[in-house]
Amino acid sequence: MSPSGAEVLRQIKSRIAEVDPSEVHELRRQGAVVIDVRQDDERAAGHIPGAHHVPKSHLETRIESVVPDKSVPVILYCASGVRSAWAARTLIEDLGYERVHSMVGGFTLWKDRGHEVEVPRVMSAEQRERYSRHLLLNEVGAEGQQKLLDAKVLLLGAGGLGSPAALYLAAAGVGTLGIVDDDVVDLSNLQRQVIHNSERVGVAKVDSAEQTINALNPDVKVIKHRLRLGPENIMGVLDGYDVVVDGLDNFPTRYLLNDASVRLRIPVVSAAILGFDGQLSVFKPYEGPCYRCLFPVPPPAELAPSCGANGVLGVLPGTMGLLQATEVIKLILDVGNPAIGRLLMYDALGATMDEVKIRRDPDCPICSRDPDEISDEEMGVFPDYEAFCAGVH
């Protein structure tokens, strides 16, 4: 006679370690990772704060991306402790994890004991369909998508770089996009500035960009800043955003942006294009070098002509703008390896990507100072970067 389900479960539990909900906090302090193996609809009703979601049906294919080190302690929980026991056996016997525990009583007992519960916001059916491919990714999922929807990203320019970055950030569901641009759409823009079209020639770029974004994704709120950035307004414009996308086309404003973003501790995803060449780096204050560490002084004007004077391949800003959008999403989700401390150099003609390491300058006049030493009076005071970039040091 084959054993009953209860007998099988008893045998499984005899071979795995179980923990009481009261022990979970201490084990987490010791480095344990908590995994919720319930289904999506169960998790929507609440979960243990900080627990990773890996449904039991996807355990074998997804667990290693969440817990790659099989010696790390793992605590599994389900609704009552049954599925987590089966999942624990799978991790131990089939996947080789060394320190796996199943939480007694599951989430039901956790909640009944009065432990903290986090109730996620629930996406609408339309949002679940729109972002369905994100929801399938371990690195994004429902929680990551909510981070994107909550994020605020500022795009400096609705031109060649800002156009593709804005389109894909909007498509990804970044909830708030600020756009800074004081220009209008010109016919010569349309070779590369794909957020605009022929019918909008003469329309303010911020208005044109807003129309396209609204048509693409109504979840996205667009904040328009129709102005030219300067020392008198940059702190107010940047404040409140999570990430800045640098699509600027002149050195004085880039140095000004660097000063302000370091003081406000806002990461900047910066790119530059010319001809067939593009560059990209991520400047995250106090975690890597700043723009001044990379360029202590601006290059001579003859070595850095504008795209208007030198020309640019129309698809190149698309390539670099999409790389910027990718880096922004990684920063919001805190996944992957953003290009902090690295300068990526793309050669479109050669189809090559080279990389140069950038180190923080211990004597950098901007990021070497302790941020707490910057007084309130200094926060909005900036050097004359027009004079600096003209060689008047």
Side-chain angles (χ1 to χ4, degrees):
M1 185 191 312
S2 59
S4 66
E7 176 62 21
V8 171
L9 180 61
R10 188 192 66 75
Q11 292 176 8
I12 289 173
K13 287 190 172 186
S14 70
R15 300 201 298 269
I16 64 171
E18 292 189 298
V19 296
D20 188 83
S22 62
E23 302 174 81
V24 171
H25 290 301
E26 179 58 32
L27 288 170
R28 292 181 82 169
R29 280 193 288 269
Q30 297 173 13
V33 178
V34 178
I35 305 292
D36 183 346
V37 300
R38 297 173 300 160
Q39 297 303 311
D40 291 344
D41 57 340
E42 296 174 281
R43 187 172 172 83
H47 58 84
I48 296 175
H52 298 272
H53 185 214
V54 184
K56 182 178 177 293
S57 56
H58 298 291
L59 196 65
E60 291 88 346
T61 57
R62 296 186 181 180
I63 187 63
E64 290 188 3
S65 66
V66 178
V67 190
D69 185 348
K70 295 184 179 182
S71 66
V72 169
V74 176
I75 302 171
L76 305 177
Y77 76 90
C78 60
S80 63
V82 175
R83 280 172 292 170
S84 59
W86 284 89
R89 187 190 72 164
T90 298
L91 290 192
I92 295 168
E93 297 183 2
D94 299 339
L95 299 178
Y97 281 81
E98 300 169 12
R99 302 165 67 188
V100 182
H101 307 78
S102 172
M103 191 176 78
V104 174
F107 185 69
T108 301
L109 184 57
W110 174 274
K111 189 165 61 170
D112 289 346
R113 294 267 187 89
H115 294 295
E116 184 181 359
V117 170
E118 184 174 308
V119 179
R121 283 172 288 174
V122 178
M123 286 185 284
S124 66
E126 182 179 332
Q127 287 177 319
R128 289 197 299 273
E129 182 175 358
R130 179 183 290 274
Y131 307 120
S132 60
R133 300 306 187 271
H134 272 177
L135 301 182
L136 294 172
L137 294 172
N138 290 334
E139 295 82 357
V140 186
E143 292 178 19
Q145 188 61 54
Q146 195 60 60
K147 288 181 181 179
L148 293 172
L149 288 165
D150 290 340
K152 297 181 179 180
V153 175
L154 181 66
L155 296 115
L156 302 185
L161 292 166
S163 288
L167 286 171
Y168 270 87
L169 291 174
V174 172
T176 301
L177 292 178
I179 303 175
V180 178
D181 204 307
D182 68 340
D183 203 358
V184 299
V185 179
D186 184 82
L187 189 60
S188 66
N189 301 148
L190 303 182
Q191 165 248 19
R192 62 202 177 281
Q193 298 181 18
V194 293
I195 206 166
H196 312 299
N197 62 43
S198 298
E199 295 179 356
R200 299 186 198 148
V201 170
V203 173
K205 287 185 177 179
V206 291
D207 294 334
S208 173
E210 180 185 40
Q211 291 181 52
T212 303
I213 291 169
N214 286 343
L216 176 63
N217 189 350
D219 282 346
V220 180
K221 176 184 177 182
V222 177
I223 299 176
K224 297 180 290 186
H225 304 272
R226 191 177 180 187
L227 51 80
R228 179 174 290 274
L229 277 183
E232 74 284 354
N233 59 27
I234 191 167
M235 296 294 282
V237 172
L238 266 60
D239 193 25
Y241 286 98
D242 302 308
V243 186
V244 175
V245 177
D246 172 14
L248 298 168
D249 60 0
N250 66 87
F251 281 104
T253 312
R254 276 195 160 144
Y255 282 109
L256 175 64
L257 168 64
N258 183 68
D259 266 25
S261 62
V262 170
R263 292 178 188 184
L264 292 170
R265 305 192 194 193
I266 301 173
V268 175
V269 180
S270 182
I273 52 173
L274 191 66
F276 294 87
D277 299 315
Q279 296 181 350
L280 178 139
S281 190
V282 175
F283 302 108
K284 191 170 185 181
Y286 306 107
E287 290 190 25
C290 74
Y291 188 76
R292 279 289 292 269
C293 297
L294 175 60
F295 296 112
V297 295
E302 62 271 16
L303 295 181
S306 68
C307 292
N310 195 69
V312 63
L313 181 68
V315 299
L316 179 65
T319 303
M320 302 310 297
L322 295 186
L323 286 174
Q324 284 182 288
T326 304
E327 294 300 298
V328 169
I329 291 172
K330 287 159 59 180
L331 289 171
I332 294 170
L333 298 177
D334 192 23
V335 299
N337 184 24
I340 300 169
R342 296 182 288 147
L343 179 65
L344 308 182
M345 297 177 292
Y346 174 64
D347 174 4
L349 287 179
T352 59
M353 182 79 80
D354 296 315
E355 179 181 300
V356 174
K357 298 291 185 184
I358 317 167
R359 300 189 183 280
R360 285 186 68 181
D361 180 357
D363 299 317
C364 175
I366 304 303
C367 72
S368 64
R369 294 182 62 188
D370 188 318
D372 295 330
E373 295 177 359
I374 302 175
S375 66
D376 293 340
E377 292 75 18
E378 289 182 274
M379 283 294 284
V381 178
F382 301 99
D384 184 346
Y385 273 127
E386 294 286 349
F388 176 74
C389 292
V392 184
H393 308 313

